[in-house]
Every structure is written in C-alpha cells, then in structure tokens.
Amino acid sequence: MIRFALRIPEDLHARLTAQAAHDRRSINSEILHLLDVALATVAQTPDRLDADPATPDPLRGKPDSSSASTPGHPPATR
C-alpha cells in the first residue's frame, strides 16, 4: 500500500463519512471501494469523441483554476 495525504472539501468529507458509516466501512475503505467502482466504469466506457455534450468533462487541476476566477480573463465558454 502507498500512503499519501489527500485534501478534500469539508462537505465531501461529510458525505464520505456518512456513506462509509452506512456501508459499515472505514473512510479509507469507502474511498478505495468508490475508486475501484469508478475506475471499472471508466474502463468499460468507450472514448468520448462522440460523447453527449451534456456530460461534464473530468476535473483537471485545482478546483479554483478556472479562467473565470482569474482577473482580466473572460469566463470560459463552450
């Protein structure tokens, strides 16, 4: 096992804690389970070249790295 620090928003931590309690798992086990399920789903999904435009793209970078939050830059449009 590899050990690393993970910073997550408080509201997400609360959701993970509640879900872990519901599933009778530790938070660590719940995160591992959710990642395993998500990665299995991604592996079964074809490339998104013709994907539904309503489907959001995966997050990249810091959550606050959008150009909308950068002074002097117009908001990004699709």
Side-chain angles (χ1 to χ4, degrees), residues 14-34:
R15 290 171 55 198
L16 280 168
T17 301
Q19 188 63 45
H22 179 267
D23 293 340
R24 296 179 181 222
R25 294 185 178 113
S26 68
I27 294 174
N28 189 73
S29 293
E30 187 68 23
I31 291 169
L32 291 175
H33 169 73
L34 293 171

Side-chain angles (χ1 to χ4, degrees), residues 19-71:
Q19 188 63 45
H22 179 267
D23 293 340
R24 296 179 181 222
R25 294 185 178 113
S26 68
I27 294 174
N28 189 73
S29 293
E30 187 68 23
I31 291 169
L32 291 175
H33 169 73
L34 293 171
L35 286 171
D36 191 38
V37 169
L39 290 174
T41 302
V42 169
Q44 296 171 1
T45 303
D47 289 340
R48 295 178 32 155
L49 293 177
D50 60 343
D52 178 5
T55 305
D57 289 333
L59 294 176
R60 290 185 176 84
K62 294 187 282 184
D64 60 347
S65 65
S66 70
S67 61
S69 65
T70 307

